[in-house]
Amino acid sequence: MTEYRLDAGTGATAQTIALTTDGGIPQVIWWGAALPAAEDLAQLAAAGRHDLTGGMLDALPALSLCPEAGRAFQGQAGLVLATAEGAPLLPAFAFDRAEQERGLLRLVSMAEGLRLTHEFRAYPTGVIGMRTMLESTQPVRLHWLAAPVLPAPQDGDIIDIHGKWTREFHLNRLAWTPGARLREARTGRSGHEHPPYALFAGNGATNTQGEVRALHYAWSGGHRMVAEELPDGRRQVQFGNPWGAEVQAATRFETAELLAAYSAAGLNGIGITLQRDLRDRVVTWPDPARPRPVHYNCWEAIYFDHKLADLAAIADRAADMGAERFVLDDGWFGRRDDDTTSLGDWSVDRRKWPDGLHPLIAHVHKLGMTFGLWFEPEMVNPDSDLMRAHPDWMLGPADQVAGRNQMVLDLSRAEVREYLFNAISEILGEYDIDYIKWDHNRLLPVVDAAQTRGIYELLGALRKAHPAVEIESCASGGGRIDAGILAHTQRVWLSDSIDGIERLRMQHDAALFLPAAVTGSHVGARRSHTAGRVLPMSFRAWVAAQRHFGFEMDLRHLPDDEAATLKSVTAWWKANRGWMMAGDIHRIDSDDPAVVAEVQVARDGGRFVLFAGQEETSVQILPRPLRLAGLEPDATYRVRLVNPDDAPPQSRGPNALKSGDLTLSGRALMQRGLLLPVAWPATMWVVEGERVRQA
């Protein structure tokens, strides 16, 4: 028996993965809290050996990093392989060697003509990244290859994510049962329905306490997750590309990186680890010192109706409100008067823009804003010059069903990537553009990992050629949000819904994975374009101020009172964005299910802001105390209600925060909590806190 270990992180989120092998593919004997340095791994492995009983084989098949179907394993296999002609292959691997250096462990196993490598990498953020590589001396067909397979804990629940267009990132919590839970995204992108994340929460785990483990598959082309309880009671978790995503026989395959995190401090420990990992390691910023700019997008103001005079007037109002970036959305190219035509024809529509985009950009720059532009490069309309010239560039069968009147370009083809690179580069070369909104509004007609590799290659080439340009990933809103796409972009559009009520819950749950700095959130029109709800400006603005702030409406029709509120919140966000965009989001365990709340804490712990959103009418008459999170128990904080004027007429009592500051310990704020004023639904209370004395 030989044992290995890899450690990452510190404190309550430090984790260890330990492995052993008896000559076969290694298996994980520990995934959880950091083990003592002196832990005897051989004894740990011995302590994990199971008994046998009736109704079983005479040896228990290993739950290895790649469970082998040919070794009588009774669950889902980690590798399903065939010859190039399609005959099933059942290789029997033997452990060959380990390659280990600081923060990196590779474990190599061999079978006849095959090499299987499992790689583990410890990152400074506390995350452990894992991937599987398969190499063959002859071309083979791969149906399924799992990233390194981990044993799941014996207690607690599975939490995965579900959603749909305009209602993304909601948590789905369920108990383990015998058999397999399969989550597979086969739409060619991460998906609204099955984003590639899973949490395994121990018994009694909350936002602030208990053991939680998390996995995030860093791939943008869909995924397959199997969480399985075997008949013998062991549990395994597998992640990989969708079944059959490798459509060509080849001699080398690899999974995307599977990111693992652990927390002994509840869900918030996972959230903070993954927030920091995305923001500080995965994302590469064009200018890390630049504050996140206040964003204006014109889509819900004008849609396809582009007129210079109208857009210039809107830009005037946006700058007056405090915007720092102006984004021209869909409708500027080809003959794009609606969504039925011109995708793929990336040249400026001279009917709408006889002098090109120069007059608008010059006006925007004169107002002190930078300029951004919308593209949807992966898609093509049948009614386009590109499709008429290159019908063979379309991905999938000729008789496929269209989606939003469009088809998909085959990005596995070098000539397609070259065309798109040149077309986009020509626009970026002619115009002073610092931002691209990169959209993706159609499900793919086939599952093909080569398409995802193609988009990564295209984005990488554009980033290299235009390093100062920031890119936002939008896929019908939140349809492609993962660490794979964020390695090439700097912002995600969480949802096409900017209705404040919908966004409140989505942003709350997405904070388990996404930092504020990459999560775009806009103040929408008084009547939501996707939900039809009419919500107060104060609520809409404060919901957007929880993340990377912007607005998206026809500002020419903004009433004076709403304009004053929007200006005020914008100024507040600008004054606080420096520490907020670099800080941590702690979700609050609210005792009132009508209240959705979080605390954003500066990295040095010196200040915080509480956002407490009243989603609906509470059952009880008066607000319940709201227990904060993420503070130093023995430090002292001065707290102040930022927006007491949002109290409704029914708020008529002596609530202390309505009339002045309070000075309380972190322990008091986290254990007894704060009593906020009575609130109508669609009210967001905002409480600032400043540490005035450390422990």
Side-chain angles (χ1 to χ4, degrees), residues 104-126:
L104 178 65
L105 173 64
R106 290 192 188 95
L107 301 170
V108 180
S109 302
M110 306 292 289
E112 185 175 354
L114 296 169
R115 178 166 62 191
L116 188 67
T117 303
H118 294 100
E119 181 179 277
F120 298 79
R121 192 179 297 271
Y123 291 112
T125 54

Side-chain angles (χ1 to χ4, degrees), residues 249-267:
T251 58
R252 190 182 190 282
F253 303 93
E254 69 176 63
T255 68
E257 193 168 45
L258 179 62
L259 303 175
Y262 169 83
S263 168
L267 293 165

Side-chain angles (χ1 to χ4, degrees), residues 76 158-162 171-184 193-194 198 200 224-229 236-238:
Q76 300 292 310
I158 303 168
I159 303 175
D160 50 34
I161 317 301
H162 69 94
L171 303 185
N172 189 47
R173 189 164 188 157
L174 65 155
W176 285 88
T177 58
R181 175 168 176 77
L182 172 67
R183 300 272 285 174
E184 189 162 21
E193 307 81 6
H194 313 298
F200 304 95
R224 183 173 189 258
M225 182 201 85
V226 178
E228 182 177 28
E229 182 172 300
Q236 66 160 331
V237 184
Q238 298 185 6

Side-chain angles (χ1 to χ4, degrees), residues 177-234:
T177 58
R181 175 168 176 77
L182 172 67
R183 300 272 285 174
E184 189 162 21
R186 300 192 61 81
T187 61
R189 58 189 189 185
S190 316
H192 300 74
E193 307 81 6
H194 313 298
Y197 309 91
L199 302 162
F200 304 95
N203 291 336
T206 67
N207 281 322
T208 58
Q209 62 185 14
E211 279 198 310
V212 185
R213 294 162 177 84
L215 295 171
H216 171 193
Y217 192 62
W219 181 249
S220 308
H223 74 287
R224 183 173 189 258
M225 182 201 85
V226 178
E228 182 177 28
E229 182 172 300
L230 302 170
D232 54 52
R234 293 178 297 171

Side-chain angles (χ1 to χ4, degrees), residues 370-428:
T370 62
F371 186 80
L373 193 61
W374 182 95
F375 287 89
E376 193 171 2
E378 297 156 85
M379 304 299 160
V380 63
N381 286 121
D383 181 12
S384 66
D385 293 341
L386 180 66
M387 193 83 301
R388 284 184 283 271
H390 297 285
D392 57 317
W393 284 8
M394 186 179 76
L395 180 69
D399 61 349
Q400 66 185 267
V401 177
R404 200 177 181 243
N405 304 298
Q406 61 198 46
M407 301 300 184
V408 184
L409 291 171
D410 185 352
L411 266 73
S412 71
R413 302 177 64 142
E415 63 269 33
V416 174
R417 297 193 302 272
E418 182 181 8
Y419 165 77
L420 292 173
F421 174 84
N422 290 334
I424 297 168
S425 286
E426 185 174 341
I427 295 292
L428 296 179

Side-chain angles (χ1 to χ4, degrees), residues 504-522:
L504 180 67
R505 181 69 64 174
M506 281 190 275
Q507 291 176 178
H508 183 72
D509 288 342
L512 288 172
F513 314 101
L514 304 177
V518 308
T519 308
S521 190
H522 295 174

Side-chain angles (χ1 to χ4, degrees), residues 300-375:
E300 290 195 0
I302 61 161
Y303 293 98
F304 297 101
D305 188 16
H306 288 203
K307 295 182 177 68
L308 176 59
D310 290 344
L311 285 160
I314 293 170
D316 291 342
R317 288 286 278 162
D320 183 55
M321 292 296 106
E324 297 162 311
R325 173 188 282 153
F326 184 96
V327 180
L328 183 65
D329 212 285
D330 193 358
W332 58 268
F333 56 92
R335 299 182 67 84
R336 183 78 164 172
D337 296 327
D338 55 36
D339 66 3
T340 66
T341 182
S342 298
L343 279 180
D345 301 340
W346 299 111
S347 59
V348 174
D349 184 350
R350 296 290 171 166
R351 300 171 308 149
K352 298 177 182 179
W353 301 100
D355 299 313
L357 301 177
H358 295 292
L360 177 61
I361 294 175
H363 186 76
V364 165
H365 286 170
K366 184 179 177 181
L367 294 168
M369 296 185 290
T370 62
F371 186 80
L373 193 61
W374 182 95
F375 287 89

Side-chain angles (χ1 to χ4, degrees), residues 117-181:
T117 303
H118 294 100
E119 181 179 277
F120 298 79
R121 192 179 297 271
Y123 291 112
T125 54
V127 163
I128 293 177
M130 306 171 287
R131 70 174 71 237
T132 303
M133 288 81 78
L134 178 70
E135 296 165 282
S136 174
T137 56
Q138 300 293 325
V140 292
R141 293 193 177 275
L142 180 70
H143 300 301
W144 167 245
L145 177 64
V149 176
L150 298 176
Q154 287 292 310
D155 66 333
D157 298 326
I158 303 168
I159 303 175
D160 50 34
I161 317 301
H162 69 94
K164 67 179 185 69
W165 179 69
T166 71
R167 191 185 182 277
E168 291 89 338
F169 272 90
H170 286 253
L171 303 185
N172 189 47
R173 189 164 188 157
L174 65 155
W176 285 88
T177 58
R181 175 168 176 77

